[in-house]
Amino acid sequence: MLLARPALRLAARRSLFAVPAALPRTATRTFASQSSSSGGGGSSTLIAVVLGAAAGAAGYHYYYQKDQSLPKIASAVPQAEVKKQPLDYQKVYNAIAAIIEDENYDDGSYGPVFLRLAWHASGTYDKNAKNGGSNFATMRFKPEAGSEANAGLGIARERLNRVKDKFPDISYGDLWTLAGVAAIQEMGGPIVKWRPGRIDGEEDSSPPDGRLPDGGRPDSQHTRDVFYKMGFNDQEIVALIGAHALGRCHRERSGFDGPWTASPTVFTNTFYTELLNRKWTERKWSGPKQFEDQESKSLMMLPADMVFSSDKEFRKWAEIYAKDEAKFFEDFAKAVQKLFELGVKFDENTKVYEFKPTNA
């Protein structure tokens, strides 16, 4: 079946920076001449003295210009310090938004993989160990980058390096989480509050492997164990899983295959409606266990997704979000902001941003 995609209007934002040319400083001499009312020879003498002084000054000026080895005369006016301009995060957001759509990649959008990068970089937080999360951006290093759970995310990191090159002062953790915010909003999702402050750490800050949810685990206890360690409750867990409305699984990355919904580049509450309203059967294939919809056989659900239908508490919230997309958007925006901030120590005066989507 054909997959529907939104007609997103992305305008490329380009900032022109004018770099003033350095102006050479030349030393100047100021000569004071005094007129005299005296007449006769005194006047002629004065004129000769003045002309001689002028000639001497001209000669000095000539040789000073020719011989740059002569010591320069310090300016009496102190040079003003050039203050570093703070990052314009709306411009950074716009630069990310400009590289989301690409007809030659996947379903025509990098949005889903940008969000997955932000999610996986943040979801390693453990509230008991008090480490992990989006601070330090340790997926830059082999231990975390090489995790099976993060297969394929090098594509997102490499794509976002284009933005990093334009705005080198932004940390990788801030860049990746801001890319998650941009992906959500540019694909039609809610406005997500975001604030900067993550720092780039070293490899020894990498969290242990195995902290992310396992899509092949069909038990709700595993899901709770993973998310409770991050500090989430059942309602927040169900809200966050709604992001599976986006993207698809790739056999060469996770082993699983196919999209959850027929519109994998549009942020909606469709994950819940598909999960609850379709009949799902186990797919007969050579890959790992997953489910396909009985009607079209073009959509899929992971074993871990099915617990949001079978677990009583999870299903309660899934039904609420299936019926009320506005409620889902509201709760998801809060939960994903919390997710992206796990493990980050923000200054109390850090500004909280709400970015305007470029396709609004």
Side-chain angles (χ1 to χ4, degrees):
M1 62 182 294
L2 295 176
L3 298 176
R5 293 203 321 274
L8 300 182
R9 302 189 305 278
L10 294 179
R13 303 302 203 258
R14 295 183 180 178
S15 302
L16 300 179
F17 298 93
V19 180
L23 298 177
R25 296 197 305 271
T26 58
T28 60
R29 288 284 193 269
T30 301
F31 296 91
S33 62
Q34 294 180 338
S35 63
S36 173
S37 58
S38 302
S43 175
S44 299
T45 302
L46 178 60
I47 291 173
V49 170
V50 170
L51 290 176
Y60 174 82
H61 180 73
Y62 173 78
Y63 284 106
Y64 177 82
Q65 293 296 325
K66 294 288 286 183
D67 187 1
Q68 293 300 314
S69 65
L70 292 176
K72 294 184 179 180
I73 299 174
S75 172
V77 180
Q79 297 295 311
E81 291 186 5
V82 179
K83 291 185 178 180
K84 193 173 184 180
Q85 295 298 316
L87 274 175
D88 185 332
Y89 288 104
Q90 182 67 58
K91 287 185 178 180
V92 182
Y93 173 99
N94 293 348
I96 295 170
I99 62 170
I100 287 179
E101 281 197 329
D102 187 337
E103 291 294 329
N104 297 316
Y105 176 74
D106 219 17
D107 294 306
S109 174
Y110 281 87
V113 75
F114 282 0
L115 178 54
R116 181 168 168 252
L117 171 63
W119 209 116
H120 283 215
S122 305
T124 58
Y125 182 70
D126 186 318
K127 68 178 184 180
N128 299 315
K130 299 188 185 306
N131 58 27
S134 62
N135 211 21
F136 303 143
T138 47
M139 206 187 296
R140 292 174 294 134
F141 305 110
K142 187 176 180 180
E144 192 171 349
S147 170
E148 290 184 6
N150 295 326
L153 291 181
I155 295 170
R157 296 193 301 273
E158 181 64 27
R159 181 82 168 176
L160 288 170
N161 280 341
R162 301 183 184 189
V163 180
K164 177 69 171 173
D165 290 342
K166 292 181 180 179
F167 303 94
D169 289 341
I170 191 171
S171 70
Y172 282 98
D174 280 349
L175 175 62
W176 296 346
T177 53
L178 182 52
V181 170
I184 293 164
Q185 297 187 177
E186 296 298 312
M187 291 189 288
I191 299 297
V192 177
K193 294 180 180 179
W194 179 89
R195 52 182 170 167
R198 297 156 191 82
I199 60 176
D200 294 333
E202 300 299 330
E203 183 175 342
D204 58 8
S205 297
S206 300
D209 198 12
R211 287 188 176 181
L212 294 169
D214 183 348
R217 292 283 296 271
D219 57 297
S220 57
Q221 190 57 51
H222 165 71
T223 302
R224 287 190 170 94
D225 288 344
V226 170
F227 282 90
Y228 282 4
K229 285 182 181 178
M230 295 185 224
F232 291 109
N233 59 33
D234 284 357
Q235 173 264 318
E236 293 169 317
I237 295 171
V238 181
L240 287 172
I241 201 65
H244 276 180
L246 300 171
R248 63 170 61 236
C249 289
H250 302 78
R251 190 169 184 178
E252 69 275 14
R253 301 177 194 175
S254 64
F256 302 106
D257 177 61
W260 287 271
T261 72
S263 53
T265 61
V266 186
F267 194 95
T268 65
N269 66 338
T270 311
F271 170 79
Y272 307 108
T273 59
E274 297 286 23
L275 174 66
L276 299 178
N277 297 334
R278 288 184 181 268
K279 183 173 179 59
W280 298 92
T281 57
E282 186 175 343
R283 179 179 176 180
K284 306 300 182 185
W285 73 316
S286 59
K289 182 178 180 179
Q290 67 177 64
F291 296 85
E292 63 184 6
D293 72 297
Q294 194 173 50
E295 182 182 0
S296 72
K297 299 187 182 301
S298 63
L299 305 180
M300 66 120 238
M301 288 284 167
L302 301 173
D305 294 321
M306 301 305 292
V307 304
F308 294 96
S309 173
S310 59
D311 183 273
K312 183 178 178 181
E313 186 64 20
F314 284 162
R315 185 182 178 101
K316 178 185 75 173
W317 287 105
E319 290 176 347
I320 290 172
Y321 296 144
K323 295 175 182 176
D324 191 342
E325 187 175 71
K327 174 64 174 171
F328 163 54
F329 274 27
E330 177 185 355
D331 289 352
F332 178 84
K334 294 176 182 177
V336 81
Q337 179 190 1
K338 178 178 175 179
L339 172 67
F340 290 167
E341 294 186 351
L342 292 176
V344 185
K345 296 179 180 179
F346 295 100
D347 184 274
E348 60 180 8
N349 297 318
T350 300
K351 180 178 177 179
V352 178
Y353 291 85
E354 291 186 9
F355 299 101
K356 181 180 179 181
T358 63
N359 59 359

